[in-house]
Amino acid sequence: MAKKRPQTKGKSQQPQLKDGEMPVVGAREPCPCGSGRRYKACHGRAAAHAVTELVQRPFEGLPGECDWVALRELVPAATVELPLKAGLPEGVPSVSLATVLPMAWPALRRDDGSVLLGLQNDTSSGDISRDLADTLQRALEAEPGTPVKGRRAPADGPRLQDLLDPAGTFEPVVHAGFEFWVPDAENATPEVSASLERANDAAIPTVKLTGVDAAYWCETPDKNHLRWVMPHPEEQLLDALARLHAAGTSSLGEGTRLVGSFRAHGLTVPVWDLPSEVGAADIEKPAAEFAERLAAALASDAPLTPDERRARGGLTNRQVTLS
């Protein structure tokens, strides 16, 4: 026989708390709203849902969405100046996004007051944009010379789209290594120096193409690759790539091959294998020419032919989801 629920106080004696004011308590503790139920069965349900609900395109609406995805998933070392909607606070000379920070810090307030926000970190909720915005706000208020620790962002907190200037630019600078971590690497602490050395050893040489948007050449021991983050709807893009593949025009020149695609943060990232002797400069012109062929294929609304459907099936089977 089930136990009777303890009698609770009358409604007039219960503390009246709004959802946004709910303090964080243990899942099995009484909910602070005074309902008499455990937190996980009361207001904790909404909090848990807010933490786990996945935002498919967290960078949608930000300038440079495709480059945000590339820096989050594909590029080892890069920085970008971030313009804030409200302008820089007093004592903060600059705010920059960085792919990775020392010891995987979520953010760092440097000695001069400038802020570095790390992008390639684990996040506690399903909305990367909200988690990064929370970290950024805390970094702007941190003491100079201190890192910012990770935490669970408030479910009703701002997102990057609320903090960054929508009219600003997003122009990544790709680095060969992580020396941007410290202004004076020779005088860095042993811990930071060791972290810097490990990061540089693991970094894959990467170059951003200049002639097309969000395309990144990278070098690996056996072959090189081009990974190109595209903003088009996935189904439409796969149809267009299939049309080009069936027509034999999906490559970027002799010895290159479209081998599949990644799916990352709501966008599709076609990937080409390149011969090891093909460098980033060599692929600039072929990439620009491919962009023209792709635009024409995207404009077609004709049904796919049998060959194009087979090509599309092959591309779909070789698609890998990163996030």
Side-chain angles (χ1 to χ4, degrees):
M1 184 174 179
K3 294 182 179 179
K4 292 183 179 181
R5 188 183 303 277
Q7 294 294 317
T8 60
K9 296 181 180 179
K11 183 176 181 181
S12 61
Q13 299 179 21
Q14 294 176 10
Q16 300 299 304
L17 296 177
K18 299 178 181 179
D19 289 355
E21 300 172 344
M22 196 60 55
V24 177
V25 298
R28 299 177 65 84
E29 295 177 24
C31 187
C33 76
S35 66
R37 292 184 293 172
R38 290 176 177 175
Y39 178 68
K40 69 176 183 179
C42 191
H43 280 82
R45 286 179 175 175
H49 179 71
V51 168
T52 59
E53 185 177 13
L54 178 64
V55 175
Q56 297 291 339
R57 288 179 63 178
F59 308 116
E60 185 176 14
L62 292 173
E65 179 188 6
C66 293
D67 284 308
W68 276 93
V69 172
L71 267 57
R72 167 75 182 183
E73 299 294 341
L74 306 173
V75 181
T79 55
V80 190
E81 291 289 321
L82 295 179
L84 303 185
K85 185 180 294 185
L88 293 172
E90 184 178 356
V92 180
S94 65
V95 175
S96 298
L97 183 73
T99 48
V100 181
L101 292 179
M103 279 72 77
W105 290 328
L108 171 65
R109 182 86 185 271
R110 283 175 157 167
D111 291 335
D112 65 355
S114 61
V115 167
L116 285 176
L117 176 66
L119 181 58
Q120 295 180 12
N121 288 308
D122 292 334
T123 55
S124 58
S125 78
D127 187 353
I128 298 171
S129 178
R130 195 179 308 281
D131 290 332
L132 288 171
D134 177 68
T135 301
L136 174 56
Q137 284 189 312
R138 291 186 290 124
L140 293 171
E141 299 173 354
E143 290 294 325
T146 59
V148 175
K149 297 181 180 180
R151 74 169 188 182
R152 190 176 75 186
D156 59 349
R159 307 178 73 239
L160 287 173
Q161 288 82 347
D162 302 315
L163 303 182
L164 302 184
D165 185 355
T169 59
F170 191 82
E171 300 177 354
V173 176
V174 178
H175 303 277
F178 295 89
E179 281 73 19
F180 64 85
W181 280 355
V182 286
D184 185 5
E186 293 183 358
N187 294 322
T189 65
E191 187 179 27
V192 171
S193 296
S195 183
L196 178 62
E197 183 177 358
R198 289 193 301 270
N200 283 342
D201 289 343
I204 296 174
T206 301
V207 177
K208 186 180 188 299
L209 298 195
T210 60
V212 295
D213 292 334
Y216 292 80
W217 171 95
C218 67
E219 179 183 13
T220 60
D222 297 328
K223 63 185 70 173
N224 299 337
H225 305 280
L226 184 72
R227 300 179 291 190
W228 192 341
V229 187
M230 297 187 172
H232 317 292
E234 180 179 351
E235 297 302 315
Q236 181 187 7
L237 177 58
L238 288 175
D239 282 351
L241 292 173
R243 296 181 195 279
L244 297 178
H245 202 63
T249 58
S250 65
S251 74
L252 299 174
E254 184 178 356
T256 70
R257 185 167 67 98
L258 175 64
V259 293
S261 63
F262 298 129
R263 182 190 290 114
H265 306 292
L267 299 182
T268 303
V269 189
V271 179
W272 286 262
D273 278 352
L274 312 173
S276 57
E277 65 271 14
V278 174
D282 301 323
I283 213 69
E284 288 277 8
K285 182 178 179 182
E289 293 171 344
F290 177 85
E292 295 180 357
R293 298 195 300 273
L294 179 63
L298 286 166
S300 175
D301 58 1
L304 296 180
T305 67
D307 285 346
E308 291 168 347
R309 288 198 297 272
R310 283 191 290 271
R312 193 186 195 284
L315 290 171
T316 303
N317 290 337
R318 296 193 297 275
Q319 191 172 47
V320 176
T321 300
L322 297 181
S323 59

